[in-house]
Amino acid sequence: MRRPFIILLALAALSTSCLKEDSLNNRAETTGKEALASKLVGNVTESGAASSVLIFIDGTIDAISAAQPDQSLSFEPVFRNATTESAVRHNLHNWYKVTFDESLTASDVAARLAELDAVRKIQFNTEVKQERSEMMPYEGVMTRSGNGGTSFDDPFFDEQWNLHNDGSIASTAVAGADIAVKDAWAICAGSPDIIVAIVDSGISTIHEDLKDCMWVNEAEKNGERGVDDDGNGFIDDLYGFNFVQCTQINNDLTEDKLTNGTPVSGIKGKGLDFYTGMGHGTHVVGIACAGGNINKKYYGVAPESSIIMVKANRGNFTLSTALMRGIKFLVDKSKELDMPLVINISMSTNDGAHNGSSLLEKYISLVAQLNRVTIVIAAGNEGAALHHASGKLEKENYIDFR
């Protein structure tokens, strides 16, 4: 009888030990989730963030990395060259992107990092989706706004109420609901000393409407391919930069051919988007800045401006980190060239925290306050879903968009 009794005691002790271990694991998991709840900003779910999270730290990243015994996490700064006085003043150098392998989830990683005192804020690196319709075939991609400079000689100009709306186009039309292009052109039609930057899917730099309007990085143009000739941390940033693949902006095209050898002029029935993903960006920048050695009736709104393109889209979405890195690249380029900057972001999306807490929201608000920088955000595309508020701004009137 004594031997079975000893066995029962051993089993009871083992059971108690297992229960204690499970209890400790559950307590650690609960502690991590509670800590995460107090530090999480932006979107509160990990939707669209399967491979990375963002953290704001107090201290050094080496200390945080050393606190991960299995070294399963990788850390990199969200912003390059964030050591300038302005960047440090706004704490951009304290934000890091954390990546991990498929065996972990964003929620697990976030909860683990939340337990570290030096990690002050955590955000899922969310996808920002771009709502848009199917692109037109290449031969029909509309880059042109159709206006005719100061002469207004386009036969379809009166139908483009977005440029000039006198209220006659429809019974429901509101006179003055336009971009006041006639008033703008009375002042100027852009300038080579003004940067118009498009953060989008890329651009066809050989398009006839755009090739004469592209800003060109002379140091990279006259330098060696695959080398950072101007020393700004970006290799071959000839016309801008591709923040999806971290390559030059126009690596999809070589002269008049795609990199797979397909002649651009021979594309029939399928849009430029199908082959390179550049159709939407080409379309958007053409509306803004088409110009150069073409008929003036096809000019864009600011045909004399210098175009810089940032590619941030992966198909129909972009990561918030790609958007922010692209914007910072443009702000730094504006300072380097001492040129005013207009940034257009045509995502037409309803994604995001919508409460001002996410890093993306805070960063765009910060950049919008900089001197000689203007940010233009597109809305539309989801109109049927009733996501977007409507209203008309009149001087000091206040509209609540919540």
Side-chain angles (χ1 to χ4, degrees):
M1 289 293 295
R2 183 171 181 177
R3 185 173 180 181
F5 179 72
I6 293 175
I7 293 174
L8 287 173
L9 285 176
L11 290 173
L14 179 62
S15 176
T16 302
S17 175
C18 291
L19 289 172
K20 184 177 181 181
E21 183 177 347
D22 288 342
S23 177
L24 290 173
N25 289 338
N26 290 335
R27 190 183 307 163
E29 181 178 351
T30 301
T31 301
K33 290 181 177 180
E34 290 176 348
L36 177 60
S38 66
K39 297 181 177 182
L40 191 62
V41 297
N43 285 8
V44 295
T45 65
E46 65 174 282
S47 175
S51 61
S52 60
V53 298
L54 310 179
I55 59 173
F56 179 86
I57 67 170
D58 181 10
T60 67
I61 197 64
D62 291 338
I64 293 174
S65 179
Q68 307 302 312
D70 56 359
Q71 299 296 306
S72 59
L73 308 182
S74 298
F75 302 86
E76 62 174 303
V78 170
F79 301 100
R80 293 190 190 186
N81 307 324
T83 56
T84 63
E85 179 184 351
S86 176
V88 172
R89 183 170 68 252
H90 293 101
N91 298 313
L92 299 187
H93 63 300
N94 288 333
W95 280 100
Y96 282 82
K97 178 181 177 181
V98 186
T99 55
F100 40 88
D101 58 41
E102 295 179 354
S103 65
L104 299 171
T105 69
S107 292
D108 292 338
V109 171
R112 182 198 299 185
L113 292 170
E115 295 182 349
L116 302 177
D117 291 338
V119 175
R120 297 302 180 87
K121 298 178 183 178
I122 299 176
Q123 177 185 324
F124 295 117
N125 191 17
T126 53
E127 292 178 359
V128 181
K129 298 182 182 66
Q130 185 176 52
E131 299 294 338
R132 64 188 188 193
S133 57
E134 196 68 25
M135 297 307 300
M136 298 176 65
Y138 174 75
E139 60 270 22
V141 170
M142 295 192 307
T143 68
R144 301 156 181 174
S145 68
N147 67 67
T150 55
S151 63
F152 307 107
D153 58 358
D154 179 8
F156 297 106
F157 181 78
D158 291 338
E159 297 182 20
Q160 298 180 81
W161 59 267
N162 56 308
L163 300 180
H164 176 70
N165 185 357
D166 61 5
S168 64
I169 192 172
S171 60
T172 55
V174 179
D178 54 36
I179 66 171
V181 74
K182 288 187 175 182
D183 295 334
W185 281 338
I187 300 172
C188 75
S191 165
D193 296 324
I194 297 175
I195 299 171
V196 174
I198 311 294
V199 181
D200 210 283
S201 63
I203 187 175
S204 170
T205 57
I206 63 173
H207 196 292
E208 62 178 343
D209 293 2
L210 307 174
K211 62 183 181 180
D212 297 327
C213 306
M214 298 299 302
W215 168 83
V216 179
N217 187 333
E218 294 295 334
E220 297 291 350
K221 178 181 178 180
N222 300 316
E224 183 179 349
R225 189 179 178 89
V227 176
D228 181 15
D229 298 289
D230 60 355
N232 68 344
F234 299 94
I235 296 174
D236 296 333
D237 54 323
L238 185 60
Y239 306 109
F241 201 70
N242 180 339
F243 283 88
V244 177
Q245 298 170 318
C246 292
T247 59
Q248 60 173 319
I249 191 64
N250 210 38
N251 65 324
D252 292 315
L253 294 172
T254 56
E255 298 302 328
D256 67 338
K257 294 183 178 180
L258 303 175
T259 50
N260 65 7
T262 303
V264 171
S265 57
I267 296 176
K268 300 292 182 182
K270 291 184 178 179
L272 197 60
D273 247 30
F274 178 84
Y275 291 92
T276 68
M278 298 186 302
H280 190 268
T282 301
H283 160 76
V284 169
V285 74
I287 292 174
C289 300
N293 190 26
I294 60 174
N295 191 316
K296 288 188 176 182
K297 72 177 182 179
Y298 298 129
Y299 271 20
V301 175
E304 297 178 12
S305 302
S306 295
I307 301 168
I308 297 182
M309 174 61 76
V310 162
K311 181 179 176 68
N313 291 21
R314 306 175 181 219
N316 68 338
F317 75 92
T318 182
L319 290 176
S320 57
T321 43
L323 274 175
M324 292 184 291
R325 287 169 172 172
I327 293 171
K328 186 176 186 302
F329 168 84
L330 294 169
V331 170
D332 291 344
K333 185 64 67 178
S334 170
K335 292 180 179 178
E336 173 193 336
L337 300 174
D338 192 24
M339 293 167 62
L341 171 66
V342 179
I343 302 175
N344 183 86
I345 305 174
S346 291
M347 294 302 297
S348 291
T349 181
N350 190 53
D351 293 327
H354 298 285
N355 59 12
S357 68
S358 72
L359 177 58
L360 177 60
E361 292 170 295
K362 288 179 177 293
Y363 184 61
I364 290 178
S365 295
L366 172 65
V367 172
Q369 298 174 40
L370 296 177
N371 187 33
R372 301 206 304 171
V373 175
T374 299
I375 295 184
V376 180
I377 306 292
N381 289 28
E382 287 185 301
L386 301 179
H387 285 153
H388 299 284
S390 63
K392 185 178 179 181
L393 298 176
E394 295 279 4
K395 294 183 179 180
E396 298 181 359
N397 286 1
Y398 175 79
I399 296 177
D400 189 349
F401 286 95
R402 290 176 294 177

